[in-house]
Amino acid sequence: MDINIGIEFRDYTLLKNFKYDDERVSTVTSREQQKTENSIEKCFDRYQQLKFLDPKIAKFHREEHQRFLESMLHRLPGNYECLDSSRPWCIYWILQAGHVLNFTFAPQTLDAVVQFLTKCRHPEGGFAGGPDQYPHLAPTYAAVNSLAMIGTPSAYRAINRDSLERFLFKVREPDGAFRMHVDGEIDIRGAYCAVSVAKLTNMPEQALKKLFDKTGDWIATCQTYEGGFSGTPDLEAHGGYTFCGIAALALLNEGYKCDQQQLLKWTLQRQMSYEGGFQGRTNKLVDGCYSFWVGATIPITQAIISNENNHKLVKTLFDVGALQEYILLCCQKPNGGLIDKPGKPQDLYHTCYTLTGVAIAQHAESALHPSVLGDPINELLPTHPLFNVPPQAVAQTTQYYEQLNQLYAANIKGNNISSENVSDNEDKEEAEAMTIEDETNPSSVSSDNS
């Protein structure tokens, strides 16, 4: 039986001592910080006034969030037109937020998602941000993660790993870096997205070795003097880029190539003493999305250090209760969806990363004994810290593609299965995938989002 480790809310009288002190030197930055703290103080005050009258005030508004996600999956409002080239991202944010809330979408809805993402797959490999657009590593990551979460045979077939591998080689640079698209910009997001989709689809070891030769070395050059990672060498450390850097190194088993202690120090300094949430850069404001980007970086870094020193990870070093408190009290909209900080509108991006950040905080030390703030009903389902999809989806997707690897090896070695005469790699993978479906109980490769 799972046992929740209860965490209490902080003492708000003592907490006021941690508010920002500008030392009588007012600047634009200090005024913005004080303005943000004042808006958060109102949330804390409201909780103190209503906690005995309204039990919902300290709980996740699950039904409202679920309705928000369901409606957004079926029809996006007009203000999302600017994300027309990021439609797989919208799907991913919805599915992943739904997962941690333990919300399952209807099978026919998920089938429609698979059909749409198949239209986003480019003939030359990878996924685009929408049908008939150019392939790009960012929506490729979002699409592969979404299909892995759905976890049906048709979802796996929609990925087409052979063409995906060809696309990754197209955007790879000789020094191990990756462009976001052909002739596009180079940054650390590209390296992470490439490593993530290659590892999640369990590409053969020989391909991985060629694909990510020197990639770990290039990522290490993006670590700054502060300890975090920047988008490219010699820029400012940033929470999102830092996650991409250390997660990619961890997936490549090359965490030793960065300064882990300095990285851990930098990430721990990003948690705000008063607000409880994380900032993304030095001297910036708190933002709910960094609950995941920075929150996941800390246990990943701790795990790398622990493994190298043969020590067991005993305790997460950031304040997991304070983070949950910020999200619960300051980042929920009454009509569903979550936000960056008080006063901001809800959106899919922040809904996903605030919730997955809480999931990380709750399960970082133990999946069996989650650390949950307040009522045990606030417990969210765990997420894989490196891929940010359900752990079950990672296990089932890699297992599926391991079967494909074995079938492909048998095809080459024995030259005795029906797909041997298929010359096109895409058709060959399709034939081999169909063979797996024929030989495997479908329930062993399907993923239940709940």
Side-chain angles (χ1 to χ4, degrees):
M1 177 182 291
D2 293 359
I3 300 175
N4 288 312
I5 300 175
I7 302 174
E8 298 299 324
F9 287 82
R10 293 178 292 175
D11 185 327
Y12 297 104
T13 302
L14 295 177
L15 198 58
K16 293 181 186 294
N17 296 324
F18 293 97
K19 294 187 72 174
Y20 182 77
D21 179 11
D22 65 4
E23 299 179 334
R24 300 182 181 180
V25 179
S26 180
T27 66
V28 173
T29 300
S30 68
R31 290 192 292 272
E32 284 297 314
Q33 176 62 29
Q34 290 168 334
K35 179 182 176 182
T36 300
E37 287 182 350
N38 289 338
S39 68
I40 288 169
E41 185 176 26
K42 291 178 182 178
C43 296
F44 291 162
D45 289 345
R46 182 173 180 271
Y47 164 71
Q48 288 182 290
Q49 295 165 6
L50 298 179
K51 63 182 178 181
F52 297 113
L53 299 175
D54 182 7
K56 285 187 65 178
I57 195 169
K59 296 178 183 178
F60 279 113
H61 310 324
R62 290 177 184 268
E63 293 182 3
E64 291 81 0
H65 298 327
Q66 290 171 6
R67 283 196 293 269
F68 171 71
L69 295 171
E70 184 82 57
S71 65
M72 296 291 272
L73 187 58
H74 284 93
R75 186 177 181 84
L76 291 172
N79 61 322
Y80 274 74
E81 183 180 1
C82 61
L83 293 179
D84 180 64
S85 60
S86 300
R87 292 164 74 182
W89 276 110
C90 295
I91 290 170
Y92 165 65
W93 295 329
I94 292 170
L95 295 184
Q96 177 62 347
H99 158 72
V100 295
L101 289 169
N102 198 15
F103 175 53
T104 305
F105 296 93
Q108 58 268 31
T109 299
L110 296 179
D111 287 343
V113 169
V114 172
Q115 293 174 26
F116 173 75
L117 290 176
T118 301
K119 294 177 182 177
C120 296
R121 190 181 72 202
H122 196 273
E124 296 181 5
F127 288 82
D132 302 319
Q133 298 180 21
Y134 290 113
H136 192 287
L137 271 175
T140 295
Y141 166 83
V144 170
N145 275 5
S146 299
L147 293 165
M149 281 190 276
I150 295 171
T152 59
S154 61
Y156 293 138
R157 286 201 305 273
I159 294 175
N160 190 264
R161 193 178 60 173
D162 283 342
S163 64
L164 174 61
E165 182 182 322
R166 293 196 296 272
F167 171 66
L168 295 182
F169 274 108
K170 284 181 182 178
V171 293
R172 182 188 184 277
E173 291 293 299
D175 62 357
F178 282 82
R179 295 185 180 275
M180 295 304 294
H181 58 91
V182 175
D183 296 329
E185 74 275 22
I186 294 173
D187 68 46
I188 205 167
R189 294 173 304 153
Y192 167 68
C193 290
V195 172
S196 179
V197 298
K199 286 286 189 174
L200 189 55
T201 59
N202 211 349
M203 288 185 180
E205 194 61 36
Q206 185 177 3
L208 292 175
K209 191 173 181 180
K210 291 181 180 179
L211 196 54
F212 301 116
D213 178 40
K214 301 179 183 178
T215 298
D217 296 326
W218 183 84
I219 292 172
T221 66
C222 295
Q223 188 171 24
T224 76
Y225 71 95
E226 288 186 283
F229 288 80
S230 57
T232 56
D234 304 319
L235 296 180
E236 183 183 11
H238 181 282
Y241 293 139
T242 296
F243 168 81
C244 290
I246 195 59
L249 289 176
L251 288 168
L252 294 172
N253 293 316
E254 296 180 9
Y256 61 88
K257 292 188 173 180
C258 72
D259 186 337
Q260 302 152 17
Q261 294 292 343
Q262 193 66 15
L263 169 60
L264 186 59
K265 179 181 177 181
W266 182 83
T267 52
L268 292 172
Q269 290 172 339
R270 303 282 68 76
Q271 187 165 27
M272 311 296 280
S273 300
Y274 180 73
E275 302 93 307
F278 289 102
Q279 61 182 183
R281 290 179 284 165
T282 304
N283 289 331
K284 293 295 182 178
L285 302 175
V286 68
D287 186 332
C289 71
Y290 295 112
S291 303
F292 176 79
W293 297 125
V294 179
T297 297
I298 294 170
I300 291 171
T301 307
Q302 284 189 251
I304 292 172
I305 295 172
S306 298
N307 289 338
E308 291 188 359
N309 296 325
N310 293 319
H311 293 155
K312 184 179 180 181
L313 175 60
V314 177
K315 183 173 179 58
T316 302
L317 295 180
F318 72 95
D319 190 335
V320 298
L323 176 64
Q324 293 178 66
E325 189 176 279
Y326 174 67
I327 302 303
L328 273 170
L329 302 183
C330 305
C331 294
Q332 295 194 91
K333 281 288 188 179
N335 60 336
L338 289 96
I339 60 177
D340 160 359
K341 59 177 67 68
K344 300 281 187 170
Q346 69 266 62
D347 61 74
L348 293 175
Y349 170 84
H350 285 94
T351 298
C352 174
Y353 291 113
T354 51
L355 290 173
T356 52
V358 171
I360 289 289
Q362 292 179 349
H363 298 279
E365 294 176 12
S366 172
L368 296 178
H369 308 293
S371 301
V372 180
L373 177 69
D375 196 311
I377 200 172
N378 287 329
E379 181 186 347
L380 302 180
L381 292 183
T383 186
H384 196 293
L386 298 176
F387 298 101
N388 201 20
V389 296
Q392 182 185 23
V394 175
Q396 293 179 337
T397 304
T398 53
Q399 179 188 17
Y400 176 89
Y401 284 103
E402 178 57 29
Q403 292 175 306
L404 198 65
N405 291 342
Q406 294 173 2
L407 190 61
Y408 183 67
N411 179 27
I412 294 176
K413 183 177 180 180
N415 198 27
N416 61 358
I417 64 174
S418 59
S419 61
E420 65 180 337
N421 295 321
V422 181
S423 59
D424 182 75
N425 283 336
E426 185 167 331
D427 292 338
K428 181 174 287 189
E429 180 166 304
E430 180 89 5
E432 290 169 345
M434 294 297 290
T435 302
I436 292 176
E437 292 166 31
D438 292 340
E439 296 178 351
T440 308
N441 186 334
S443 64
S444 68
V445 292
S446 12
S447 172
D448 184 351
N449 282 333
S450 65

